[in-house]
Each structure stands twice: as C-alpha cells, then as structure tokens.
Amino acid sequence: MTLELSDVQEKSAPQNEKPVVQCLTLNMADSKLNGHRNTLKDVAAQAGVSVMSVSLALRGGAVSNRVSEQTRLRVLAAARELDYRPNARARALRLQQTDIIGFYAGHGYVNVRIPFFAEAISGLQQGCEQVGKNLLLHSLSQTAGSDAVYRELMDGRVDGLVAAMPATDALAARLASVNVPIVAFADAIAGVPSVVVDDARGAELIAEHIADLGHRRVVFAAGPILPFSGRRRQHTFLESAVSRSMDVIVRALGDDASLADFVTAARAEGSTAIVAWNDFDARRILCAAQRLGLNVPGDLAITGFDGCPSPYNDPFPLTTIRLPWAEAASQAVIVLDRLIKHQPVDEFTTLPVSLLRGATT
C-alpha cells in the first residue's frame, strides 16, 4: 500500500499566462482511499477462516467461546491489520437494536448549567457506561414541537427512552402507548416504570426542621407552573407544617424584578422563614434578602430543595434536601436496559433523601 503526494505548488508563469499548478498523485490501493470498506469476508480471507468464525470471534463474551482460542486470536490479528470496523447500521438492522438510548427533557432544552440537568446527564452517562449503551439527548425547542420529537423518537434510532417530563405533557400519553421501552425519571408517568426520589419525605424533613427552630409563620415559594414532584413537595409540606402548628402562606414566585417585593411582603406578614420548592429559587430569594440588608437566617430563614453538589466553594450553603439525581438517572438507565431485554422491572423505584443543614437556617 503506497500513498504518494507531490506538493501542490503554484509555479510562476509568464505574464498573460495562467499559473501552472502541480497536481497531487494518489495510489488508490488503500481501501480507505478507494472507497472500499473492509468487511467480514475480508477479515475471513486474511485469517483463513470462515465468515461465521469471524463473526463469532468478534462478538466477544460467551459467544466467542464457540471458536478455538487460536482461531479467535488469528481473527483479532487480521481485524487489526485490516483496520476492520463493524458496520453499525448493518448491525442495528441485524440485531434490531442500535445500542443507543434517548433522554427526553420535556421542560425545555437540556441546559447543563442548571445543577439538576448537570447531575442527571452525569448519572445517565454512568448508567450507559454500565450497560454498554450510548446516549442521545432530545428536548423541545422553538423549532421542534412535540409531534416532531415524537417522530424522531419513534423512527428506530433509539432502543429506549428515559423521559423527564410532566405527566400532563401531551407527549407522555403518546409515548406510554407505543411499543418502545420507556422509563420516567424524576416525575412518574402512569403506566410507565418510573424512577423517582422521595419528595414527600424531603418535605416532611424540611417542615420538621423549620418547626424545631421555632418558626410558626412560613411562606412556601411555589413556581408559576409546578411539575408533579413540585406539587407533591408543596402538598406534603403543608400537611406536615399544619400538624406542627405552623401557618403557611403559599405564594408564586415571580421574575427577578419582583423578588424584593416578595421578600418584603413575607416580612410584613410576619413570616420568619421562606421554603422554596427548589434550590434555584431559594438562591434567588437569598440574594434578594441580602440586597435588602436582611440577616439570613437571623431575620429570615430560607430553605431549598434538590441539594445538587456545587463545583465551587460555596461561602453561604443552603439548608436543603439532598436528592440523589445522578444516582436516580443512572438507575433509570439500568431499569430501561432491563426493559429492552424483556426482563421484569418494578413499577416504581424510589430513592431516599436527606436533610442538609446549611447556613440559611
């Protein structure tokens, strides 16, 4: 195999004549250059064995034991020498699987700067590595509605799907009704195996902690549109707080411009603590309180919910509920892999949570 390249040079030419360009010369004996891709037949011919022996030897695992060790080594050597790479499309057609799983985020695009998504993607990758799958991300955008996402997911490019979306999402019911392995993550979906965290227990732990500190009037800061997990946190916190003789005011948190008014109103009503449904909103409230000159937690206690670890040295850590999102995402992949293999799975997998006492209570 030879490849000869002469430098491409532009020679000087007399005036009024076009410059002379030296062309490159290629010896096309190399299979990569002449468009030929080495196949199982080429490997078999190189190793002096049958195509079936090559196929068995290259599959690995218990299947490769069906050929002798000597044959297996000869096949591997031939494959390396020919730089043989399996045709992924042909393999997918033959086995009816792509070894790719999808992750669909129904709350918007997958922004890894948001701690929840950073943890989720990390866990999904860990799970994929464990089961030998690749990961493909899907999300709604301004140019791709739910119909476009549905067609993309159902066109056979993925073996299964991990879905993080509200149960009320129009796409949820459609996905639950098709014959494609699906696992819900973070928010449960009826009729779909779901991997969630114990939001209810987390809300109880927050209520217990706030009550033990002596707070009797509290604001629950809800988002404008809460997913089912958020509503579960709110409902359980209200029940638990009332049982501990606390008065709770539920108020939706607005945009950044209204944060100061939100905190001021809470103080005017006599509230001594604000419980946010997630860490992101808790951080926003904390910043607003500090800008108003309030002492946290002396004047106002603040709690969050998620507890995603920060890569930075946080000088003012939140009191929050640690939810193991990375572990839950990894477990969702494992459950999905079992579904793909037609193995039984539990309807619900619920991971435990814990209270993290920070500097805000």
Side-chain angles (χ1 to χ4, degrees):
M1 178 181 68
T2 60
L3 172 63
E4 299 173 357
L5 294 175
S6 59
D7 293 335
V8 179
Q9 297 176 339
E10 189 173 277
K11 295 183 176 180
S12 59
Q15 196 172 9
N16 299 327
E17 291 186 19
K18 292 182 179 180
V20 178
V21 178
Q22 275 190 320
C23 297
L24 55 82
T25 303
L26 297 177
N27 185 327
M28 302 302 290
D30 187 353
S31 62
K32 295 179 185 177
L33 298 174
N34 64 20
H36 174 70
R37 183 190 183 106
N38 287 318
T39 66
L40 286 177
K41 289 183 179 180
D42 296 319
V43 178
Q46 180 82 358
V49 298
S50 67
V51 172
M52 178 60 72
S53 295
V54 172
S55 178
L56 293 173
L58 294 180
R59 286 188 201 179
V63 175
S64 64
N65 293 333
R66 293 168 59 182
V67 297
S68 68
E69 181 65 11
Q70 183 179 6
T71 297
R72 189 182 72 84
L73 293 175
R74 195 159 68 235
V75 168
L76 293 178
R80 283 194 300 270
E81 185 175 343
L82 294 177
D83 192 25
Y84 169 75
R85 288 166 294 165
N87 188 312
R89 291 183 179 180
R91 181 181 183 278
L93 288 172
R94 185 176 69 254
L95 301 179
Q96 292 296 297
Q97 67 181 49
T98 63
D99 283 339
I100 298 174
I101 66 167
F103 174 64
Y104 170 68
H107 300 282
Y109 81 99
V110 181
N111 185 353
V112 295
R113 288 180 293 183
I114 296 176
F116 166 77
F117 281 125
E119 285 288 286
I121 297 301
S122 174
L124 289 168
Q125 290 177 326
Q126 291 172 11
C128 285
E129 184 176 353
Q130 186 171 341
V131 301
K133 300 286 186 182
N134 294 309
L135 181 65
L136 183 62
L137 301 181
H138 304 264
S139 62
L140 285 175
S141 66
Q142 294 180 348
T143 57
S146 60
D147 286 342
V149 173
Y150 179 82
R151 290 193 299 270
E152 186 176 290
L153 295 174
M154 297 302 106
D155 69 358
R157 74 181 66 184
V158 296
D159 296 332
L161 183 71
V162 174
M165 63 175 139
T168 55
D169 191 314
L171 192 57
R174 296 179 69 183
L175 293 176
S177 65
V178 298
N179 189 29
V180 173
I182 299 172
V183 172
F185 165 64
D187 278 306
I189 299 175
V192 173
S194 302
V195 178
V196 297
V197 296
D198 198 346
D199 294 290
R201 178 55 183 156
E204 291 174 350
L205 289 173
I206 286 289
E208 180 181 333
H209 175 66
I210 292 294
D212 288 346
L213 292 175
H215 297 281
R216 291 295 174 262
R217 192 170 181 81
V218 180
V219 172
F220 185 90
I225 302 176
L226 286 180
F228 179 75
S229 56
R231 296 197 301 272
R232 185 168 55 232
R233 296 173 194 179
Q234 175 180 322
H235 176 75
T236 307
F237 176 78
L238 290 175
E239 282 191 340
S240 188
V242 169
S243 71
R244 291 174 169 81
S245 302
M246 284 192 290
D247 293 329
V248 182
I249 301 171
V250 178
R251 183 175 289 116
L253 194 64
D255 58 17
D256 289 346
S258 64
L259 286 174
D261 292 338
F262 184 94
V263 174
T264 300
R267 291 282 295 158
E269 295 162 349
S271 296
T272 58
I274 297 178
V275 175
W277 83 276
N278 65 12
D279 284 352
F280 181 76
D281 284 344
R283 282 283 175 201
R284 296 171 63 214
I285 295 167
L286 172 60
C287 290
Q290 290 176 327
R291 284 195 296 268
L292 289 170
L294 296 177
N295 177 276
V296 178
D299 298 326
L300 185 68
I302 300 170
T303 67
F305 217 106
D306 274 338
C308 296
S310 171
Y312 310 105
N313 184 18
D314 191 350
F316 217 84
L318 284 172
T319 293
T320 186
I321 297 298
R322 173 77 174 101
L323 305 181
W325 287 126
E327 183 181 349
S330 179
Q331 186 62 35
V333 173
I334 293 172
V335 172
L336 180 61
D337 184 60
R338 291 172 183 161
L339 278 179
I340 293 171
K341 295 175 179 175
H342 305 289
Q343 298 174 354
V345 299
D346 294 330
E347 182 179 359
F348 288 99
T349 302
T350 304
L351 277 68
V353 304
S354 58
L355 175 73
L356 292 180
R357 175 73 183 269
T360 59
T361 59

